[in-house]
Amino acid sequence: MIAIHGGTYNSAYFDIPGSSLIDRSMAAGFDIVALDRPGYGTTRPLDDGPAMLDRNATRISAVLPELLLGLGLPAEGIVLIGHSMGGVIASTIAASQPSWTLKGIAGTGFAQHLPRHLAEGFAALPQQYSVELPTEMKDQLMFGPPDTLDATMPGASHAANTSMPRAEAIDIAFEWGGRAPGILKGVTVPVYYKLAEFEKLWDIADREAFAGLYSHAPGVETGVFIGAGHCIDFHKRGASFHDELLRFAATV
C-alpha cells in the first residue's frame, strides 16, 4: 500500500503513535510506504502554478517504481491510500493508467466543490510559495467533537503539521472541481470513498453524487464514516477505519 497525505501534513500523518496506519498495516502483513509529496519533507518542490495536484500525481507515478525498487518491493499489486488532497492525487494517478500494476484506490476527505467560504479563505492566503495554517484554526477544521477524540488528540497529530504550497490550496478550491468528472471517469480499478460524519471541509450531502463520478470503476464502496471528522485516522474510531482500509486492500 502507498499512503499519500493531504495538505498541511507530511507523511508522518500515517504514523502518529496510537493512530498509526503503518503499524496496523504491518501487523496485518501488508507492506506499506507513506511518502512525502513534492515540496514536503526533503522532497524537491514543484514549480509554482496551476494544476498542482495533477502535477503531484505525475511526479509520484513516475518515481514510484524506482522508490519501491530501492526498498526491495515490486511495483505491482499496489493499493493507493489517499487522505484529502492525497485522495485527489490517488484518483488522478489511477485515471492516468500507470505503467505499474494498480489494484485499487481508497480515499477520504475530498469531494468536487469546496464550499465558497473556504475557497474564499484559501484565496486570501499570503501570496508566497508556502503557507501554514494556524494550529488552532487547523484543529477546528480537521477534527470532530471532543467526545470523538481520545486524550492525546489533537495534540499528538501536531507532529505531522507542516506548511503547504499555496498553489495546492488554490487548485483544490478553484481548479480541481472542473477537472474532477473527466478524471474520475477514467478510474478503472475498485474504489473505496467515504466522507466523515463531522466533515468540515466538504459537504457530506455531495458524497453520493461525487461517488457516482467513478462511473467506470468496477466497484465503488462509499458511505459516511460515523464518529469522526476530516482526519478520520486521529479519532477514537481510527482503528476501525484502518481495518476497513485493510479489508478493502485485501479484497481488490
Side-chain angles (χ1 to χ4, degrees):
M1 298 195 300
I2 305 297
I4 306 174
H5 63 83
T8 76
Y9 291 104
N10 57 30
S11 60
Y13 177 92
F14 298 103
D15 200 25
I16 297 298
S19 303
S20 174
L21 175 61
I22 290 179
D23 285 350
R24 204 162 188 86
S25 300
M26 294 179 67
F30 287 87
D31 292 317
I32 181 168
V33 177
L35 50 79
D36 279 320
R37 298 197 284 104
Y40 290 80
T42 60
T43 61
R44 178 167 55 91
L46 297 168
D47 291 340
D48 205 356
M52 180 68 89
L53 300 178
D54 271 15
R55 291 185 286 126
N56 265 256
T58 299
R59 169 82 65 81
I60 291 169
S61 184
V63 305
L64 193 57
E66 182 179 358
L67 184 154
L68 292 176
L69 179 64
L71 296 173
L73 298 171
E76 59 186 30
I78 292 170
V79 175
L80 298 177
I81 308 293
H83 172 249
S84 196
M85 291 180 186
V88 170
I89 293 164
S91 297
T92 304
I93 291 172
S96 74
Q97 306 295 322
S99 59
W100 36 269
T101 307
L102 178 63
K103 293 178 64 179
I105 60 172
T108 58
F110 68 107
Q112 184 174 4
H113 297 296
L114 198 71
R116 181 174 177 178
H117 70 283
L118 290 174
E120 291 174 348
F122 284 3
L125 289 169
Q127 296 276 346
Q128 56 197 40
Y129 185 89
S130 292
V131 294
E132 191 161 2
L133 296 182
T135 300
E136 184 176 356
M137 176 192 300
K138 181 175 174 177
D139 287 347
Q140 289 175 356
L141 290 173
M142 304 298 182
F143 290 88
D147 65 356
T148 66
L149 309 174
D150 66 28
T152 69
M153 290 295 172
S157 73
H158 296 164
N161 284 359
T162 189
S163 59
M164 71 171 174
R166 181 181 186 274
E168 290 185 0
I170 299 305
D171 191 354
I172 200 70
F174 300 104
E175 302 167 15
W176 154 249
R179 296 196 307 269
I183 289 174
L184 269 55
K185 74 177 182 182
V187 176
T188 57
V189 295
V191 174
Y192 171 106
Y193 168 71
K194 291 191 176 184
L195 290 178
E197 178 183 12
F198 301 110
E199 175 65 61
K200 296 176 185 175
L201 288 172
W202 304 92
D203 186 345
I204 63 172
D206 295 338
R207 175 199 51 80
E208 190 171 352
F210 184 78
L213 296 177
Y214 290 101
S215 56
H216 289 82
V220 180
E221 178 180 346
T222 188
V224 174
F225 193 89
I226 301 300
H230 182 74
C231 294
I232 300 174
D233 307 72
F234 299 153
H235 291 72
K236 288 179 180 178
R237 297 202 62 227
S240 296
F241 169 60
H242 292 163
D243 287 345
E244 283 196 14
L245 296 180
L246 296 174
R247 176 193 46 76
F248 172 79
T251 56
V252 294

